[in-house]
Amino acid sequence: TLGFGMTTPATVAGKVFLIVYGLFGCAGTILFFNLFLERIISLLAFIMKACHERQLRRSGLLPSNFRRGPAMSGVGTLVGWKPSVYHVMLILGIFAITLSCCASAMYTAVEGWNYIDSLYYCFVTFSTIGFGDLVSSQNAAYQNQGLYRFGNFIFILMGVCCIYSLFNVISIVIKQVLNWVLKKFECRCCPKCHKSSARLGRRNAITPGARLRRHNISMDTEGQYDSDTEGRRLSGEMISMRELTASNKVSLAILQKQLSETANGYPRNVCINTRQNGFSAGVGALAIMNNRLAETSDSR
């Protein structure tokens, strides 16, 4: 998906072949990027967990003869531990910058560009933007041309994989920031507007607890002005007509709620551990990242 544009199909057969081959080629490339993301997250989680265990040993929270295995489940400091999304983003960012700097040094020496243009070319290429204003390997001849093209291929492949992984981690951070901003706006919103919006959103929702509290409050307030209610209660088995009506309404509300939940299915329980350290469920590459983080957090 770079699309530099310096080489394009000219014939109808070439264009048709490109369409057919591109369907499988792009799908296979995306699969390769997802697998790379899965392996790099597993490696980073393994290294960061080893560093975390070493830090715990130095602080005295783990015994010196501690080994990974079934005994890890008994250590409270390592149960459910996951690497932070910010640490993963920092490591991927450092690796991407290092890779871009090395590739820029090669392009500056071979292509004759200045270093800033080489960095610009690396970002445009690794992020698959592909403007095409700067394209490598376009001269007629190079010194050690085969070695240069092989190095160019390795740098582009690793750079695209690294930037792809970094973009997925940054998307998680952006989602966290947006959720935090939305919560701040909700807190500053007018309580009357918040109540009205909640009332409109839950117009058809049934809340037996609220009705029960409402009926209790109404009975308490009306009981202060009506003394005949207590007078009618001749024994513990007899209740007033108002209390009977209120109890029937609450029972009907509970029954209707149970029928609604049975028809629509009970709401899923959201696991709190999956939201620790900022990693939550996602789609595509985000789901792969979350699954790998969940798997690598356990002992091996």
Side-chain angles (χ1 to χ4, degrees), residues 32-243:
F32 175 77
F33 288 160
N34 289 332
L35 293 176
F36 178 85
L37 175 62
E38 182 180 353
R39 297 299 183 268
I40 197 67
I41 290 298
S42 301
L43 179 62
L44 290 178
F46 179 77
I47 296 175
M48 294 174 67
K49 192 169 186 178
C51 295
H52 183 65
E53 292 177 6
R54 186 176 181 181
Q55 184 179 2
L56 290 178
R57 286 193 183 94
R58 289 182 177 180
S59 60
L61 297 178
L62 284 179
S64 58
N65 57 353
F66 175 77
R67 295 181 179 178
R68 296 175 185 172
M72 183 176 292
S73 59
V75 182
T77 55
L78 293 178
V79 174
W81 184 88
K82 296 179 182 179
S84 174
V85 62
Y86 303 105
H87 294 164
V88 175
M89 183 180 65
L90 179 61
I91 294 174
L92 287 175
I94 293 174
F95 186 72
I97 292 174
T98 304
L99 190 65
S100 299
C101 291
C102 295
S104 299
M106 183 187 69
Y107 293 134
T108 301
V110 178
E111 297 289 347
W113 303 332
N114 57 47
Y115 198 76
I116 300 300
D117 288 342
S118 299
L119 285 174
Y120 163 77
Y121 168 77
C122 288
F123 177 77
V124 171
T125 303
F126 295 166
S127 60
T128 68
I129 295 174
F131 285 132
D133 50 350
L134 293 175
V135 181
S136 61
S137 301
Q138 295 303 300
N139 294 336
Y142 291 94
Q143 187 179 3
N144 299 324
Q145 186 172 357
L147 182 62
Y148 170 65
R149 288 184 176 178
F150 178 76
N152 189 19
F153 168 76
I154 295 298
F155 273 123
I156 291 178
L157 181 64
M158 296 300 296
V160 172
C161 292
C162 187
I163 294 296
Y164 175 82
S165 304
L166 182 62
F167 283 170
N168 281 280
V169 179
I170 292 176
S171 65
I172 296 178
V173 177
I174 292 175
K175 186 177 71 173
Q176 289 182 350
V177 174
L178 291 178
N179 291 333
W180 179 79
V181 172
L182 290 176
K183 287 182 180 180
K184 290 296 182 181
F185 279 133
E186 288 179 359
C187 295
R188 294 180 181 179
C189 183
C190 178
K192 295 181 180 179
C193 298
H194 184 69
K195 289 181 180 179
S196 61
S197 62
R199 192 174 302 167
L200 290 175
R202 296 180 57 85
R203 185 190 306 173
N204 297 325
I206 302 170
T207 54
R211 291 188 177 184
L212 180 60
R213 290 192 297 269
R214 191 182 306 167
H215 289 302
N216 290 336
I217 294 174
S218 63
M219 286 188 294
D220 293 339
T221 54
E222 293 176 0
Q224 296 177 358
Y225 301 99
D226 190 7
S227 60
D228 296 334
T229 304
E230 297 295 330
R232 296 192 199 98
R233 193 169 292 175
L234 300 179
S235 63
E237 298 177 356
M238 298 181 64
I239 60 175
S240 64
M241 184 63 66
R242 186 182 295 106
E243 293 176 352

